[in-house]
């Protein structure tokens, strides 16, 4: 595959991920100084995925989680599109885009991370806990100009915890 083909695929998969969005109701707008001006904590329960049994470099997959807030109320979904770049027995290096579509706007994010799971990804039990961080790349409506990070912890195969730290890019 040529570099142009890879670039075209990445652009296409990013566009598809952005269009996938998610619906949530966490509410609020980020305002204030450059530190974490607003922190949102959400819990996710996986409701969809096409993760293959064995990851292959260059073969994308997606995951989808229903989200709830700290009080346990349903607030929407989380959608990620992932592309393994390298794959080995000790894990894989993955590029990913994330879309959070909240009731007052959308937050987009991107990352590249070492996924510490073996190439066989869907162990029913005993999968190690792991964490990765996304850089917020933008937002719409209530999140226009949003910057910051989203940290996702995976305590189990089907659960995740998102910590969204929003900062104001204008300060």
């Amino acid at each position: 595959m040529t570099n142009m083909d890879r670039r075209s695929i990445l652009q296409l998969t990013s566009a598809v991920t952005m269009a996938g969005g998610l619906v949530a109701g966490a509410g609020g707008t980020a305002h204030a100084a450059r530190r974490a001006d607003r922190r949102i904590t959400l819990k996710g329960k996986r409701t969809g995925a096409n993760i293959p049994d064995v990851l292959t470099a260059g073969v994308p997959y997606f995951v989808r989680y229903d989200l709830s807030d700290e009080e346990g109320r349903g607030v929407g979904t989380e959608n990620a599109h992932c592309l393994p770049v390298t794959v080995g027995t000790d894990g894989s290096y993955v590029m990913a885009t994330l879309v959070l579509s909240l009731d007052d706007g959308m937050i987009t994010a991107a990352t590249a991370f070492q996924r510490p799971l073996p190439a066989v990804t869907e162990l029913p039990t005993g999968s190690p806990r792991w964490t990765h961080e996304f850089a917020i790349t933008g937002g719409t409506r209530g999140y226009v100009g949003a910057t910051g990070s989203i940290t996702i912890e995976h305590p189990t195969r089907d659960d995740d915890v998102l910590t969204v730290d929003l900062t104001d890019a204008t300060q």
Side-chain angles (χ1 to χ4, degrees), residues 4-125:
M4 184 58 148
D5 290 338
R6 285 188 181 133
R7 198 169 337 169
S8 297
I9 288 170
L10 288 175
Q11 289 171 344
L12 177 61
T13 57
S14 293
V16 169
T17 300
M18 297 292 188
L22 60 107
V23 178
T29 304
H31 294 289
R34 262 219 177 274
R35 57 181 172 61
D37 300 314
R38 179 163 179 234
R39 176 170 277 181
I40 303 167
T41 302
L42 302 169
K43 291 183 180 182
K45 184 61 125 176
R46 189 164 72 183
T47 57
N50 72 340
I51 302 172
D53 290 337
V54 178
L55 294 182
T56 303
V59 176
Y61 63 92
F62 79 92
V63 291
R64 181 177 194 269
Y65 292 81
D66 283 342
L67 296 173
S68 59
D69 64 15
E70 292 179 294
E71 288 78 39
R73 295 179 297 230
V75 296
T77 62
E78 155 200 354
N79 292 283
H81 184 264
C82 305
L83 180 67
V85 178
T86 62
V87 177
T89 57
D90 60 343
S92 59
Y93 191 73
V94 176
M95 294 183 347
T97 56
L98 178 71
V99 178
L100 304 177
S101 180
L102 308 172
D103 66 353
D104 59 346
M106 184 180 293
I107 299 172
T108 60
T111 193
F113 62 93
Q114 180 69 31
R115 182 178 176 159
L117 302 176
V120 177
T121 58
E122 295 299 301
L123 303 174
T125 60

